[in-house]
């Protein structure tokens, strides 16, 4: 029996794992004597450059284009930009050589998470039914900082379906203080009896 060859779509988990490895390597190389925020800014700038330019994106992310050509394009872009910090330039060349430039956004996300962790900052995703007043937002941020023991930066969303209250996500932990969540817990409790 002959083996059948199938092209499988890339596994998102494998991509995230690979991106996390690249991000960790970049961070480890940069942590000693680099401006970590500058590393992130350079990485983000290059990702934005690719995302914002259709032809460039088509060339760098197309698996049919030879990696040598991608490497040449990355070299030319890094040369033109001129002030890309060396570890970022090296990583971009490596991603081009390995035909992994499609991971760049995920590498940036993983690097950002590692940077925040290094700085003792945690991002909180806060959802409310209505926009928060600055005072209420500051109070929630302060409460989340006390719970986590870290500095908190908040990103807020509005979702009228929660009816009222707050749902806060800190990493993998969710604090559901919403009216909808409370009603659901009451309903579940009543059904158990």
């Amino acid at each position: 029996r002959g083996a059948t060859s199938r092209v499988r779509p890339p596994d998102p988990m494998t991509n995230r794992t690979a991106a996390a490895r690249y991000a960790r390597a970049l961070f480890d190389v940069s942590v000693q004597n680099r401006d970590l925020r500058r590393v992130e800014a350079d990485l983000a700038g290059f990702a934005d450059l690719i995302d914002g330019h259709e032809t460039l994106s088509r060339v760098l992310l197309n698996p049919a284009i030879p990696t040598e050509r991608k490497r040449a394009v990355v070299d030319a872009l890094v040369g033109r930009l001129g002030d890309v910090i060396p570890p970022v330039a090296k990583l971009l060349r490596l991603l081009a050589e390995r035909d992994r430039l499609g991971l760049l956004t995920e590498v940036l996300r993983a690097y950002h998470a590692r940077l925040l962790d290094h700085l003792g900052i945690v991002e909180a995703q806060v959802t409310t039914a209505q926009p928060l007043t600055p005072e209420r937002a500051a109070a929630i941020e302060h409460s989340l900082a006390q719970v986590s023991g870290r500095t908190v930066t908040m990103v807020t969303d509005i979702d009228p379906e929660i009816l009222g209250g707050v749902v806060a996500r800190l990493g993998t932990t969710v604090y559901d203080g919403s009216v909808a969540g409370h009603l659901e817990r009451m309903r579940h409790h009543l059904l158990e009896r």
Side-chain angles (χ1 to χ4, degrees):
R1 260 188 172 166
T4 58
S5 167
R6 280 191 202 156
V7 176
R8 289 187 208 157
D11 177 10
M13 189 59 107
T14 303
N15 284 347
R16 261 195 302 278
T17 302
R21 273 194 232 115
Y22 285 116
R24 179 178 179 196
L26 177 62
F27 186 85
D28 289 349
V29 164
S30 303
V31 75
Q32 295 303 320
N33 55 4
R34 301 275 181 222
D35 177 352
L36 296 173
R37 292 211 185 262
R38 165 85 192 278
V39 169
E40 181 181 34
D42 283 0
L43 202 56
F46 202 86
D48 289 345
L49 180 66
I50 293 174
D51 287 345
H53 196 282
E54 189 179 330
T55 305
L56 188 57
S57 178
R58 234 182 292 138
V59 168
L60 292 177
L61 304 181
N62 184 341
I65 306 288
T67 56
E68 302 81 39
R69 185 164 171 208
K70 292 176 185 180
R71 166 75 192 254
V73 170
V74 167
D75 282 341
L77 289 170
V78 167
R80 275 202 187 146
L81 295 172
D83 61 346
V84 176
I85 202 161
V88 173
K90 194 171 188 176
L91 175 69
L92 293 170
R93 289 181 180 109
L94 181 66
L95 291 173
E97 286 170 4
R98 294 186 177 175
D99 204 13
R100 303 302 301 260
L101 284 165
L103 293 178
L104 194 53
T105 301
E106 201 61 50
V107 171
L108 176 59
R109 191 174 293 126
Y111 181 88
H112 180 71
R114 190 167 283 279
L115 175 61
L116 290 181
D117 185 56
H118 176 75
L119 297 173
I121 299 171
V122 65
E123 272 186 336
Q125 180 70 42
V126 175
T127 305
T128 56
Q130 298 184 0
L132 293 170
T133 63
E135 297 80 22
R136 182 73 177 128
I140 291 170
E141 197 170 284
H142 179 72
S143 295
L144 292 172
Q146 285 185 314
V147 166
S148 67
R150 305 182 106 187
T151 303
V152 173
T153 61
M154 254 178 26
V155 177
T156 58
D157 281 333
I158 308 299
D159 182 1
E161 290 188 16
I162 70 167
L163 304 176
V166 175
V167 177
R169 177 182 300 273
L170 277 170
T172 58
T173 306
V174 176
Y175 300 96
D176 188 348
S178 68
V179 172
H182 183 69
L183 292 173
E184 179 58 29
R185 286 187 295 277
M186 282 178 53
R187 183 184 76 74
H188 184 53
H189 181 70
L190 290 172
L191 289 174
E192 283 183 339
R193 290 181 170 209

